[in-house]
Amino acid sequence: MSSFETVFGGMPKVTAQAPGRVNLLGEHTDYNDGYVLPIAIEQKTSVSMGRNNRGEYALCSHELDRMVHFTLAEPPVEHFAAYVYGCLMEARASGIETGPLDIYVESDVPMGVGLSSSAALEVATLRALRALTGSSLDDLRIAQLAQHAEIEYAGVRCGIMDQMASSLAGTKSALFLDTRTLERRLVPLPPASAVLVLDSGVARTLAGSGYNQRRAECEEAALRLGVTSLRDVHDISKADTLPEPLRRRVRHVVSENVRVLRAASWASAKEFGALMNASHASLRDDYEVSIPELDRLVALLQAHPDVYGARLTGAGFGGACVALCKPDTLQPVARTVLRDYAGAGFNGRMLVPPSDGAWVG
Ligand code: GLA
């Protein structure tokens, strides 16, 4: 088993961690200045670092079993290293100079399933840089720098939900966030409910997917409607003046914002579940970011008597889905649904829920 000590021959100066997240509601709304409702997951990414005097950065990923060397003038070509490099560059632009570092990354956040492993890596890297330099960056600023790092250096024109969730959310309550004003509050899960996350077994990457294209479509729709962003469209019939697929994209964003606002205002488990079901239909039909495997898994969950509602979570195009279930039913629901999913020829898995009573309303 490798570790910072075995790879670099000494103890790290600092270690910092940050969690992944699962989004309960509010998909593809964040880059439209809208509302989101994520919750942190137990799984975390841990970044250890210490200064070296070899004139270059050394970055080792435990999970990928890869070592990468680079300087700030010569960015690394490996994709995972781009996130760390981006954070180093953003930190430097904010006045945090460290000189060459040895960096060791370990993570149990599942990758490529829509649970924000990249945001966890970015936020943990920036927290480690804060600890190393004694900088006064606050958690909000860390989320903003992390988002810039992803946009500028990893090529994904993401919104700020994932980085805000990783930097500011906990596992006990969901984080209701207005992505325009960054106003936020914690929202407890509905009474008598628990959250289940299942992986469809179909991996996806954001950079190569239709993510940036969806964002461009939203920008074009906002321009044609004469608004700063789709957050400012309240009357869904305004979308009828637009050509397809812009009309459908707007319909999703506008209706999804309404769903988040409803869910965050003390919805019962049943109401919350119905909003999740409607969200999935909208993501499938209007936003067109689902795939047959996710539709099948979500349909199996929705048909289960102990499930209030289910939807794909994250950007879509593969990855995980999230369900709101009756408490104490997560294991049996997962078993039945994954068995039927396997019967349809697919290979899913349960992404372990927190053990200490978190994620339970
Ligand atoms: C990815 C992005 C987020 C958000 C979601 C979709 O996770 O990083 O900013 O847009 O997709 O809701």
Side-chain angles (χ1 to χ4, degrees), residues 183-229:
E183 277 170 49
R184 56 200 178 270
R185 66 184 156 86
L186 295 177
V187 175
L189 290 176
S193 70
V195 175
L196 174 66
V197 182
L198 297 181
D199 177 16
S200 68
V202 182
R204 59 106 191 88
T205 61
L206 284 190
S209 72
Y211 185 89
N212 287 343
Q213 185 202 349
R214 291 295 179 284
R215 182 165 181 161
E217 287 167 351
C218 289
E219 284 166 359
E220 191 190 335
L223 198 66
R224 285 176 182 238
L225 292 171
V227 291
T228 310
S229 73

Side-chain angles (χ1 to χ4, degrees), residues 21 27-28 30-31 158-159 161-162 206 211 315:
R21 64 98 188 92
E27 222 64 85
H28 293 278
D30 62 351
Y31 52 82
C158 61
M161 166 171 68
D162 302 348
L206 284 190
Y211 185 89

